[in-house]
């Protein structure tokens, strides 16, 4: 059986050969770059129609479409990520986590931001002192139920 | 000696007594709510002038201004945060970490988003299907130096 | 300032003195026993009106009502719980976790059961071979958003 | 020698080819979906007769029946599960563990719910505000022996 | 409120003053030494009548009887025990765990030895080559339920 | 070179083919079932003569006798065992560890039970309320040397 | 696809065959020895032109140049390094970490030394009492932004 | 008895009151700032004469001199430091550890840099693109003995 | 009740006041310095007569003698010791552990060195190239029992 | 490329075939048994001449000599060793670590025993009550530098 890992390998190879970018792929299948990359590396499931489009775009075997649409088992192996680019986000959660909680509480009440009904983008913000990485997250507010 | 923890306790008490919000406090000292909360709970250092303003606003003892302006030792005790509101952000870093890295690489080159030259905001996004939490981060792009 | 821990201590003492049960307390304030216990030990926030009722029922100081209605910081100190009664539930998550995921996927699609819009009950199931503990959980299904 | 992992792979492949669901398989061998899935992925042992039925249903090699009936070594590799769907159950144990213990104590005495003489179901609960996942667990109450 | 720890301290002090042994105490209240010690250090709950006897025997305050009969929260702080006397038992579980499982399986079927409906004793076995520690455990066999 | 793991695989296969039990094998080579299983899965070394007998009994290649008699490197990969049957023993060490220590101290003095000059058995104890697993351990008492 | 690990293996082999040193290689491609080694073992990305030079110098396949210029995923598997040569640096961070922080704070303000805009060298310092290892690090000072 | 922690508190207070810097203190007792800070926070032992000078300089009680000269127990509580300023050095050890080892090996042979016969400095390096933190370490090379 | 920690504090104070060394104390009570220090810091139990001698020597309260003779609970809080002096011994066990095992096996058979029937000394070995620390351990060989 | 692991396998095979002991091999190449074993299993580097002698003695391929003389990467995978023979040494470091530190301090000053300029031996000590394992370590004393 073809696995999510197998398909990721095929995508990376096809992408390299075709000289595509994640933004380019995302645009062609009309999805966001964040979700597209995430589903291509097996951390999300494509809607079936999008999986079909991607398979056509990259000329992957037909079975790959089914695999890309399967619900993945999300495993992140490192409790504390070591890559500096990812660690900085872990650090932000550590340093600002209580602040995020306090402000969500103040603006909404006793609840959380959903990580499921959630979307995110990464953009390049031009800046004379050096361009900046802008990350925008939007998640549905979920109120704790009291019963 | 007065510690950062002592001052945090004083602030929480004064805030409760005065019926203030973090947004309200931030506005009065003309700083962002995220940074204001973060510095009030001892995870950041206020610029001295802002520390003075806060001390006046909340009628804290004068020594508190100096303490609020000191460089803090940032300790986050839980490697994996257990509070659901904070855990969701940890989960986002775990699930989307490789995606953030790939897109930063694609848009900028081999580097990272700074967590030091960094700012963040939390806003309420009205939505007919249920309001959403919007988190925006902006950090300077830092290119790996090759030497 | 009065903390959640302080209030928990007061509640445990008042409950012991009055010879009340959690079920009894819950019934008097018209909430479920699970939520009532959970909020009394500081793992959930009472709706303000319910906090007021509880404070009256147990003759706690007025400040306690405000504390009981505050959003708590949910900390569970043991990554693997050692108490046998709690460990068995941890074991169930370990053994049946992949099964819960597979069946949720089969019945709903790619998503999860919310632990926020969530309720739970514990009942005693009479059984001639020995009574049984029945635990019922109900959480809103949340579909992963693809964007 | 054929291992539990080998048999799981065969089952997943046969299930996919035949377009079966876990519910469908469970119904055909007259067992619950939870136990059926769990035993198919090697976390429980089928009673020999059920193993035979499954082997016939999915046309697996005869040796598989013996393997499916063997007592498995239950290993769950992640101390804290990272998949969001499974993590939510871990979170529930963390947040409500002391509550489950307190209510079991109140209703039964000093003891626990068995995770061995145990059964569980997952059902879809229709709800106008969004359908809900219902999980029901029933385990024999075991009283601590004092001797 | 008096805690389990408070009562343990009182017992240790009274035992020292009176020059009693655990065996002696156990005999006087007609329980086993293992259970008696375990409940005295807060890892088990005495049946109420036995708690009363112990309180009388050691002249503890009356409130202690209620505390000794409460269901304890069993916390063992060290994942790997460091005391050599306790570590050896941990080592035995590590080295012989798979053997215990295989033999229980062979003699009983797919199930476990209960640690709840369980009793244990420690005796001194005279031996010309050096006396031996004999530990006997007896726990009810629990068969995995298939449903 | 043939490894301990290779030989374990051969033994498990031969045992299955011949329809033998661990008790049966142990009896044939006149050793205890616990030690026999333990040495067969590579956690102990057979005395050379016993290794020869086992090799003949199961018709293993001659080199296996030498391997079975080698001193093994005892590795137990899980700090906290997850299989419920083994976990219960870990739990017993956690809950009753201080009790075992206190009673050994009371009966012998300042020392430990050896896990090296050690033997163990598992037997089935008939009981009208449900048969019981009986585990008996006997280890030489070792007194701490003071010098 | 050729991976970073594949290329590292090729480089180590070519280096051994040619009898080169890291210093020698670094000099030939006009980069520092620290960066050269680091990029050769996959912990940094070569600028494309330097990757080309290295590929020519060591007669590697052309595809290797592209791989050497890719942004690596920096994984360091040991949380506490066990090799004594590397551990000593970990120890220095543990012992002198608070000192480094205090002196950076004193000389610069509330900020850190960048590990991205960073360079390092290792040199041999002759000394009559035994030569010394000199390690020099230089990283851009980054001031915490207050906003 | 006065502890190292007590003395550290006294020093921090006296330093604040007198408006001294670590550099200033170090200069007055003619030692390096790194060693001075490190010994003041209890991670190193002052030579007795220097301890005396420090005690005089800051008008500490006489007993403090003896305490400052005692061999400390060096405990660093966080396996992975969370403060960003210290974490960056941990990251450098993770990313460049194998490189440091390879270059030390190349320049010296099979051995390590001592962290005991060791010294370090921190200086500010002016730079038009932003000043830089310069850290210099020098430790005696120790060759592995072969015997 | 007086604890082991209380007595350790008294001993350290008395030792400091009297200007004694561990060697000096050990000699006066005719025991080895290693065992004497170890029992004084609560990691071993003094034989009652020696406890009496020590109490007299240092003029401790009489109750201390009983405490010093009690069996201690040996807790070492750091899994990996951070103090460099202790870490080096941990490193030796890590690097040479398999070697110690192989040579014990070669010289004795399948068994271990006892850490209970065990003694150790530390001496200063004069050496023109720098004096050396000599550590000698002697523990009874214990043969694995086969049964 | 031949690795250290490859060479270790060759040595173990040749040693078995030739019926040699570690002591015998060590004597033939005129090195200590501890160092010889350690370097043969890849935890130390042989001096080139000794590597050549070993290669000749065991008739290994010529490339092995170069590999045996390379500086190894010392990795010990288990933070807490599980093999009982090795664990006992870990336990000794845990129990007697503070004692070793105190006595080294008393005899030498503020410093440590080197684990690099270090040697060790294992001998069999005849004893009528049972032979003993004698382990002797000698490491250069290294004084902390104050600067």
């Amino acid at each position: 059986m073809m696995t999510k890992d197998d398909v990721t390998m095929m995508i990376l190879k096809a992408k390299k050969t075709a000289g595509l970018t994640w933004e380019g792929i995302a645009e062609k299948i009309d999805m966001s770059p964040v979700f597209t990359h995430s589903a291509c590396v097996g951390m999300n499931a494509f809607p079936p129609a999008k999986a079909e489009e991607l398979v056509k775009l990259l000329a992957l075997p037909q079975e790959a479409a089914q695999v890309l649409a399967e619900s993945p088992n999300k495993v992140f192996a490192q409790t504390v990520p070591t890559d500096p680019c990812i660690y900085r986000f872990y650090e932000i959660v550590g340093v600002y986590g209580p602040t995020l909680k306090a402000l969500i509480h103040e603006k909404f009440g006793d609840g959380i931001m959903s990580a499921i009904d959630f979307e995110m983008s990464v953009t390049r913000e031009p800046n004379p002192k050096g361009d900046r990485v802008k990350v925008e997250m939007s998640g549905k507010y979920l109120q704790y139920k009291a019963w």
Side-chain angles (χ1 to χ4, degrees), chain A residues 22-23 26 31-41 43-44 46 118-123 134-137:
Chain A
W22 295 111
E23 291 247 324
M31 298 205 81
S32 69
V34 166
F35 191 84
T36 300
H37 178 275
S38 178
C40 284
V41 299
M43 288 301 251
N44 266 305
F46 275 113
F118 170 79
E119 61 187 39
M120 181 161 57
S121 66
V122 180
T123 48
K134 180 160 196 176
V135 175
E136 288 171 283
M137 299 173 179

Side-chain angles (χ1 to χ4, degrees), chain A residues 96-119:
Chain A
Y96 294 99
T99 295
L100 289 164
K101 181 178 168 66
L103 293 180
I104 288 172
H105 186 222
E106 188 166 299
K107 286 174 200 297
F108 294 87
D110 191 30
I112 69 165
M113 180 187 83
S114 179
I116 307 297
D117 185 341
F118 170 79
E119 61 187 39

